Amino acid sequence: MPSAQVLFHGNAADKLLDITITKDTVLRKFDSLCTDKAAGADDMAIRVLVELKDVISVPITRIINASIQSGVVLDEWKLANVTPVHKTGSKGYVGNYHPLSLTSQICKLYESIIRDAVIDHLDKHGLIKKTQRGFSKVGSCLNNQIRFLDKVTGHLDADESVDIICLDFSQAFDKVPCHTLLLKL
């Protein structure tokens, strides 16, 4: 059996070992919420959360930090109301719908805070390649396409052959059989 490959590159100081969330971080996230979104399984309207942000930001900060410290996410945050959303074609064919999960707004806030902390850490320690644009605040996928086109054009101008393989993952999730996905989950 082959030995395990080391996936971590960089030094030990680059590891994200601790995330601590502050009340100010939670308040900023509340301010960025869009208040016209649907409530999740907890039936908590975003407008109510935003109106009460000054009162609930401290307890929510404590709950989020406790969740991070313990590595346990509240069961209530794992619940979702699943709603079918029509994609295209006949509305009478069930295959033309995709599921939309309406989850807890507090959980979405929590996930957003964790995502920001991880991305900030990766940026701070230079752990994301400059060519990665998918989750980056700077640049775009268009920048990568222009750089790619420039390289291909350079090879063609030099009379060199260029082979290109393109994969389109734009609707990959829609193509996965639901029963297979459920078995894997």
Side-chain angles (χ1 to χ4, degrees), residues 23 48 53 65-66 78 85-86 96 171 173 175:
K23 174 187 167 190
V48 173
K53 69 181 180 184
N65 281 318
K78 298 176 188 177
V85 176
H86 184 253
N96 290 335
Q171 293 183 351
F173 187 77
K175 306 292 183 209

Side-chain angles (χ1 to χ4, degrees), residues 30-79:
F30 274 125
D31 288 337
S32 69
L33 291 177
C34 184
T35 57
D36 64 346
K37 299 289 183 182
D42 58 3
D43 285 328
M44 184 60 64
I46 300 175
R47 186 173 307 279
V48 173
L49 294 173
V50 172
E51 291 292 327
L52 295 173
K53 69 181 180 184
D54 293 323
V55 177
I56 63 174
S57 60
V58 171
I60 289 186
T61 302
R62 288 183 183 151
I63 291 168
I64 289 174
N65 281 318
S67 176
I68 293 169
Q69 298 284 324
S70 67
V72 176
V73 176
L74 295 172
D75 287 338
E76 291 81 4
W77 290 356
K78 298 176 188 177
L79 300 176

Side-chain angles (χ1 to χ4, degrees), residues 77-97:
W77 290 356
K78 298 176 188 177
L79 300 176
N81 290 336
V82 180
T83 304
V85 176
H86 184 253
K87 294 184 294 189
T88 183
S90 168
K91 290 188 176 186
Y93 178 61
V94 86
N96 290 335
Y97 289 82

Side-chain angles (χ1 to χ4, degrees), residues 5-19:
Q5 184 179 4
V6 177
L7 298 176
F8 179 75
H9 301 290
N11 59 48
D14 294 339
K15 291 184 180 180
L16 179 58
L17 300 174
D18 190 27
I19 297 175

Side-chain angles (χ1 to χ4, degrees), residues 57-140:
S57 60
V58 171
I60 289 186
T61 302
R62 288 183 183 151
I63 291 168
I64 289 174
N65 281 318
S67 176
I68 293 169
Q69 298 284 324
S70 67
V72 176
V73 176
L74 295 172
D75 287 338
E76 291 81 4
W77 290 356
K78 298 176 188 177
L79 300 176
N81 290 336
V82 180
T83 304
V85 176
H86 184 253
K87 294 184 294 189
T88 183
S90 168
K91 290 188 176 186
Y93 178 61
V94 86
N96 290 335
Y97 289 82
H98 69 88
L100 176 69
S101 297
L102 301 173
T103 57
S104 163
Q105 297 303 323
I106 301 291
C107 185
K108 286 181 186 178
L109 182 118
Y110 174 56
E111 291 169 352
S112 177
I113 290 170
I114 296 298
R115 178 203 173 276
D116 290 351
V118 170
I119 294 296
D120 288 345
H121 175 82
L122 295 173
D123 285 343
K124 178 181 171 186
H125 293 280
L127 298 172
I128 297 180
K129 291 183 177 184
K130 297 211 184 296
T131 56
Q132 172 62 41
R133 303 286 186 202
F135 303 100
S136 173
K137 293 176 186 171
V138 294
S140 69

